[in-house]
Amino acid sequence: MEIQLQENWQRQIAKAVTSPTELAELLSLPPSWMKQHSAARELFPMRVPRHFVNLMEPGNPQDPLLLQVMPHAQEFIDVAGFTTDPLVESEATSAAGMLHKYNSRVLLIFRGGCAINCRYCFRRHFPYQDHHLSQEKWGAIEHYITQHPEVNEVILSGGDPLMASDAQIIKAAKRLAKLPQIKRLRIHSRLPIVIPDRLTPELAKQLKATGLQIVLVLHANHPQEISALLKRKISLWHQLGITLLNQSVLLAGVNDNADTLADLSEALFSASILPYYLHQLDKVAGAAHFEVSDETAFAIRAQLLKTLPGFLVPKLVREVGGEASKTPL
Ligand code: SF4
């Protein structure tokens, strides 16, 4: 069933599907199938925008987009090595709302929430309430950056930073642009994939007008996620010279084969987005059933290198808590 979407992006967030029973109805799946798993909502709530539901195949309980968002009974299984803070981020905070893990970059926890809750999310247990970046903390952030002249790039992260309004994002970008050492503003967001209407022309134009180099790093895992609407909405961002990249997570049952990832790279490039990283799963508690072995990951990469031009093969990486950069595999 095609759900009509004629509302602005904030309304679409407010109207996300949060009930497994409703999701089952929308996808013509038996409610009993959803019920056996829905208890996992108590570990991490379910949240799926209706545009993303529209991209799923009705009647297919193994749909790769559905598997990313559907609570699953396996989330209750404790697996050795899978923890609530796999990247030890709660100890890496340099100032409330900011992480300074990488030498030349600081990462701001700009907004805590997301439009979609991905079951494999490495921050599914992150205490956003302790790290949320409030307006009052901006002075401390700016002071920290000026005391660290090696920092030339600010990353807006979350949660999802595009959950903030255009006005809030533009205000932050203008403040950062006043710091002479800052060259680039990078925004990490899944929101345009799950609600393409979030890519407002106004935000693109105003970000560009700050004079900062703007990099938008999206997060799509499967070619089905690259919709015609996304391509339409992102074309202005491309025309304005905003760098568009994508990072994916290698997920069992979703994209753990070379054909799917080759199709994803092609679909991304048709939308002017370059594949950037393919992440091995961060070992977060509740997500062990998504894990893909390194051996399988290496075989997939070898196949991709044979199939695709080099610029369409994402770098296979793993994040290791406490390491100053991503670890290539
Ligand atoms: S959008 Fe990103 S931060 Fe939000 S739940 Fe999904 S993976 Fe996690």
Side-chain angles (χ1 to χ4, degrees), residues 241-297:
I242 293 171
T243 301
L244 303 172
L245 304 172
N246 182 67
Q247 50 187 345
S248 307
V249 182
L250 190 55
L251 299 166
V254 173
N255 60 6
D256 55 339
N257 64 83
D259 287 347
T260 298
L261 288 172
D263 288 349
L264 173 60
S265 283
E266 293 286 359
L268 288 165
F269 197 61
S270 73
S272 307
I273 305 163
L274 276 172
Y276 179 35
Y277 281 131
L278 176 61
H279 287 260
Q280 267 294 37
L281 184 76
D282 297 315
K283 296 194 173 198
V284 66
H289 55 292
F290 285 111
E291 192 179 26
V292 176
S293 70
D294 281 354
E295 291 69 31
T296 302

Side-chain angles (χ1 to χ4, degrees), residues 44 47 68-69 111-124 128 157-161 163 188-191 194 219 221 249:
F44 188 41
R47 170 169 286 277
Q68 295 177 54
V69 296
R111 276 297 288 258
C114 292
I116 187 167
N117 282 352
C118 313
R119 308 311 297 178
Y120 54 85
C121 180
F122 73 100
R123 290 201 180 120
R124 58 183 277 167
Y128 286 118
S157 182
D160 197 314
M163 291 287 281
H188 282 191
S189 177
R190 185 149 165 74
L191 227 165
V194 302
H219 173 179
N221 299 314
V249 182

Side-chain angles (χ1 to χ4, degrees), residues 121-134:
C121 180
F122 73 100
R123 290 201 180 120
R124 58 183 277 167
H125 307 282
F126 191 77
Y128 286 118
Q129 65 284 0
D130 301 338
H131 295 271
H132 183 73
L133 181 59
S134 64

Side-chain angles (χ1 to χ4, degrees), residues 70 82 84 115 120 137 189 206 215 242 253 272 276 281 287 299 323 328:
M70 183 62 209
F82 284 75
T84 55
Y120 54 85
K137 293 176 187 157
S189 177
Q206 296 253 20
V215 182
I242 293 171
S272 307
Y276 179 35
L281 184 76
E323 293 288 318

Side-chain angles (χ1 to χ4, degrees), residues 21-271:
T21 313
E22 187 189 358
L23 189 56
E25 276 170 24
L26 291 169
L27 293 174
S28 309
L29 288 168
S32 56
W33 185 84
M34 295 282 184
K35 268 192 196 132
Q36 61 180 314
H37 297 299
S38 62
R41 273 192 303 169
E42 72 192 51
L43 300 175
F44 188 41
M46 193 188 93
R47 170 169 286 277
V48 196
R50 286 162 201 267
H51 170 81
F52 202 70
V53 177
N54 277 345
L55 303 177
M56 297 174 189
E57 182 191 357
N60 179 7
Q62 298 303 318
D63 179 273
L65 277 54
L66 175 63
L67 293 180
Q68 295 177 54
V69 296
M70 183 62 209
H72 201 287
Q74 285 177 281
E75 294 176 37
F76 286 101
I77 301 172
D78 272 337
V79 177
F82 284 75
T83 65
T84 55
D85 185 12
L87 303 185
V88 208
E89 288 191 318
S90 53
E91 291 171 18
T93 308
S94 310
M98 183 175 79
L99 303 172
H100 189 183
K101 292 198 289 188
Y102 308 119
N103 185 40
S104 61
R105 292 142 279 165
V106 293
L107 183 148
L108 306 185
I109 306 289
F110 195 66
R111 276 297 288 258
C114 292
I116 187 167
N117 282 352
C118 313
R119 308 311 297 178
Y120 54 85
C121 180
F122 73 100
R123 290 201 180 120
R124 58 183 277 167
H125 307 282
F126 191 77
Y128 286 118
Q129 65 284 0
D130 301 338
H131 295 271
H132 183 73
L133 181 59
S134 64
Q135 283 300 318
E136 302 80 62
K137 293 176 187 157
W138 266 101
I141 300 286
E142 286 164 329
H143 178 73
Y144 183 92
I145 291 174
T146 52
Q147 296 301 304
H148 291 79
E150 71 277 16
V151 173
N152 64 12
E153 176 174 332
V154 174
I155 302 170
L156 300 188
S157 182
D160 197 314
L162 290 187
M163 291 287 281
S165 67
D166 284 1
Q168 289 168 323
I169 297 166
I170 292 160
K171 187 174 170 191
K174 284 182 176 168
R175 284 185 82 149
L176 293 168
K178 285 189 184 143
L179 304 175
Q181 70 198 77
I182 300 299
K183 295 180 187 162
R184 280 185 298 280
L185 178 65
R186 198 187 329 169
I187 299 173
H188 282 191
S189 177
R190 185 149 165 74
L191 227 165
I193 302 292
V194 302
I195 302 179
D197 288 324
R198 178 64 192 94
L199 292 168
T200 61
E202 186 64 13
L203 181 60
K205 289 177 195 160
Q206 296 253 20
L207 285 172
K208 191 69 190 168
T210 62
L212 293 169
Q213 291 178 306
I214 307 295
V215 182
L216 178 61
V217 183
L218 299 162
H219 173 179
N221 299 314
H222 192 278
Q224 248 170 267
E225 297 174 41
I226 311 304
S227 62
L229 184 59
L230 172 70
K231 289 184 188 177
R232 276 209 307 280
K233 296 283 177 179
I234 211 162
S235 63
L236 174 68
W237 291 60
H238 175 60
Q239 285 163 25
L240 288 171
I242 293 171
T243 301
L244 303 172
L245 304 172
N246 182 67
Q247 50 187 345
S248 307
V249 182
L250 190 55
L251 299 166
V254 173
N255 60 6
D256 55 339
N257 64 83
D259 287 347
T260 298
L261 288 172
D263 288 349
L264 173 60
S265 283
E266 293 286 359
L268 288 165
F269 197 61
S270 73

